[in-house]
């Protein structure tokens, strides 16, 4: 059995080179990377410091924004009631019985708002003054005869106290004003203002919805989109509009010297954060002029003809509408005001407005007449606009108009009786009869 030698033959005594120690092998490379740790740590520390500083500043900004938001919310909530009061006054203004039946002028609106009933219990009326003409003596030349646009004072403004922190004492005044004057306009058809707007006037004209349809009409139609008469009512399509602006602001109380006395201690200095809120509110009032309709009637309106009747435009009646054809030779037809290619092709100019019911017989008959014809608005096919009208659109199940028409004579007699009864109760000289206190109206009436 032969045993191999552990050492290969021919290599006995041969020396291999010794490997260097691992620590000694990196000598020159360690010298090249020496000093790298310090700059790296410095840059990392700098980035950490900058990020920490940014986060701290951001947290301060968030806290400040939250504080400002709370202050703004409190001041806006305090000013919002002024807009509610202004809206209530505007609604009451256009229901005022002292205004004329037609379109009220600015003078009419101003005189109506000067009534004491437009001053709420906790309000104090204010006078706004501005130098319109640039001369000395602001507001001294204002008289009832002066043109409204030239007056330098406005009396449709008020103030009332509010308690913003709910501690039982007023610390802020809310001021608001209702302004409806517009700057002077140029000659008829011109669209530019003749002078700059001043703080006593509304900011803009009412919005013009007639230009939203895409059709731009020039010449006489464009010139009609201007003010009406001596007022600031402006034409917009088939309506007339007026812009009314409300400005409201909260003013903190900083001096209570003249507000409190020994018996009443209702006011205190404002102690909250600094904040000032101002709100602006625009309301466009619109009306449809009666002259938009070629036929306007107060009582029952009956449209019948023995020879036929063609009419363009709208119809308006405050009572019942009775319409129909008496025979085949007496066609009654209601056309639109103009063709679809016209600038006057608008729905409001051809509407049929009925305050009561629609019937198809005359007031002295109990049978329905034949249908009249009416053109419809907005159909794609112009030849399909004609439609039956009258008996096909009755609103009550009654034949003719005898049972449908109103007895206006009895109504007028009733009103006359009530007026005479009121005069009898309020005046001793009507029939020379002395009346007792129980028979008379109260002194307020």
């Amino acid at each position: 059995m032969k045993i191999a030698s552990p050492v290969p033959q021919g290599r006995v005594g041969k020396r291999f080179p010794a490997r260097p120690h691992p620590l000694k092998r990196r000598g020159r490379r360690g010298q090249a990377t020496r000093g790298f740790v310090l700059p790296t740590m410095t840059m990392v520390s700098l980035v950490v410091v900058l990020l920490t500083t940014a986060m701290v500043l951001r947290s301060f900004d968030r806290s400040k924004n939250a504080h400002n938001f709370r202050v703004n919310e409190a001041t806006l909530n305090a000013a919002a009631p002024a807009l509610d009061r202004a809206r209530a006054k505007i609604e009451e203004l256009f229901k005022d019985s002292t205004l004329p039946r037609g379109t009220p002028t600015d003078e009419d609106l101003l005189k109506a708002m000067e009534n004491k009933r437009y001053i709420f219990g906790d309000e104090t009326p204010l006078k706004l003054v501005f130098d319109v003409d640039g001369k000395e003596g602001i507001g001294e030349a204002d008289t009832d005869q002066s043109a409204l646009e030239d007056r330098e004072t406005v009396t449709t403004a008020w103030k009332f106290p509010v308690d913003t922190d709910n501690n039982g004492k007023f610390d802020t005044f809310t001021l608001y004003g209702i302004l409806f004057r517009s700057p002077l306009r140029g000659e008829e058809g011109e669209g530019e203002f003749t002078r700059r707007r001043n703080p006593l006037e509304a900011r803009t004209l009412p919005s013009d919805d007639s230009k939203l349809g895409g059709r731009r009409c020039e010449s006489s139609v464009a010139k009609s989109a201007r003010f009406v008469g001596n007022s600031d009512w402006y034409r917009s399509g088939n309506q007339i509009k007026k812009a009314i602006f409300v400005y409201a602001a909260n003013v903190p109380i900083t001096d209570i010297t003249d507000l409190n006395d020994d018996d009443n201690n209702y006011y205190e200095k404002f102690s909250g954060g600094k904040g000032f809120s101002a709100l602006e509110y625009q309301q466009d009032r619109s009306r449809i002029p009666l002259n938009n309709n070629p036929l306007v009637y107060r009582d029952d309106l009956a449209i019948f003809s023995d020879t036929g009747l063609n009419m363009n435009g709208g119809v308006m009646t405050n009572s019942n509408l009775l319409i129909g054809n008496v025979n085949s030779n007496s066609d009654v037809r209601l056309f639109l005001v103009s063709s679809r290619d016209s600038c006057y092709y608008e729905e409001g100019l051809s509407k049929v407005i009925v305050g009561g019911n629609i019937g198809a017989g005359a007031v002295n008959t109990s049978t329905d007449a034949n249908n009249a014809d009416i053109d419809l608005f907005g159909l794609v096919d112009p030849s399909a606009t004609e439609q039956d009208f009258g008996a096909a659109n009755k609103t009550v199940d009654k034949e003719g108009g005898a049972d449908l028409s109103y007895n206006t004579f009895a109504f007028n007699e009733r009103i006359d009786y009530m007026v005479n009864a009121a005069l009898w109760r309020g005046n001793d000289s009507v029939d020379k009869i002395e009346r007792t206190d129980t028979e008379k109206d109260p002194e307020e009436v």
Side-chain angles (χ1 to χ4, degrees), residues 44-330:
V44 172
S45 301
L46 181 61
V47 171
V48 172
V49 171
L50 291 177
L51 289 176
T52 305
T53 304
M55 293 176 64
V56 172
L57 293 177
R58 179 64 175 171
S59 64
F60 281 124
D61 289 340
R62 296 277 295 181
S63 176
K64 184 177 180 180
N65 291 337
H67 176 265
N68 293 338
F69 177 79
R70 289 193 296 268
V71 172
N72 291 337
E73 187 177 14
T75 52
L76 289 175
N77 290 338
L83 300 184
D84 296 334
R85 295 188 181 206
R87 280 195 292 262
K89 290 184 179 181
I90 294 173
E91 289 294 331
E92 187 65 24
L93 173 63
F94 284 91
K95 298 176 183 178
D96 200 315
S97 59
T98 61
L99 293 179
R101 290 183 176 270
T103 303
T105 64
D106 292 349
E107 289 282 358
D108 298 328
L109 297 176
L110 181 61
K111 290 180 180 179
M113 293 202 72
E114 289 177 347
N115 193 297
K116 292 182 178 180
R117 68 192 188 95
Y118 289 96
I119 304 176
F120 294 154
D122 60 343
E123 291 183 349
T124 301
L126 303 176
K127 178 184 290 187
L128 306 181
V129 181
F130 181 77
D131 189 3
V132 175
D133 55 6
K135 300 179 181 179
E136 296 183 358
I138 301 177
E140 294 181 358
D142 284 355
T143 61
D144 294 340
Q145 288 74 31
S146 303
L148 186 62
E149 294 80 6
D150 297 331
R151 298 180 190 176
E152 298 181 340
T153 59
V154 169
T155 57
T156 55
W158 306 267
K159 74 172 183 179
F160 60 92
V162 293
D163 179 16
T164 59
D165 53 7
N166 295 324
N167 65 347
K169 292 186 178 182
F170 301 120
D171 53 19
T172 302
F173 279 112
T174 298
L175 289 70
Y176 72 100
I178 301 176
L179 306 178
F180 46 81
R181 284 167 40 181
S182 295
L184 289 174
R185 298 301 295 258
E187 296 298 328
E188 183 174 358
E190 295 182 3
E192 299 295 333
F193 295 117
T194 56
R195 61 172 171 81
R196 297 182 62 182
R197 170 195 170 273
N198 63 64
L200 304 181
E201 299 168 338
R203 185 168 62 86
T204 63
L205 301 179
S207 59
D208 188 3
D209 300 335
S210 61
K211 297 181 180 180
L212 300 178
R215 182 185 292 110
R216 296 296 301 272
C217 299
E218 303 298 336
S219 68
S220 61
V221 180
K223 291 183 179 181
S224 66
R226 61 182 299 276
F227 62 88
V228 180
N230 64 340
S231 66
D232 285 331
W233 292 84
Y234 293 83
R235 293 192 180 277
S236 177
N238 64 313
Q239 299 179 343
I240 56 175
K241 289 186 175 182
K242 180 173 185 58
I244 300 178
F245 273 77
V246 178
Y247 299 95
N250 275 350
V251 179
I253 297 177
T254 58
D255 186 3
I256 59 175
T257 304
D258 299 330
L259 297 177
N260 292 326
D261 53 32
D262 295 336
D263 298 329
N264 299 320
N265 188 20
Y266 300 142
Y267 296 88
E268 66 177 359
K269 292 184 179 180
F270 185 78
S271 59
K274 294 182 179 179
F276 180 86
S277 67
L279 302 180
E280 178 183 296
Y281 169 77
Q282 177 183 358
Q283 183 179 119
D284 289 350
R285 306 291 298 196
S286 61
R287 290 194 171 191
I288 300 177
L290 288 179
N291 55 11
N292 279 7
N293 305 287
L295 186 56
V296 179
Y297 211 71
R298 183 184 64 179
D299 298 324
D300 289 343
L301 174 60
I303 303 179
F304 298 94
S305 175
D306 293 335
T307 58
L309 173 66
N310 294 331
M311 189 181 68
N312 294 70
V315 176
M316 177 181 177
T317 174
N318 288 329
S319 187
N320 301 310
L321 174 62
L322 308 176
I323 186 172
N325 294 328
V326 178
N327 51 58
S328 58
N329 298 323
S330 61

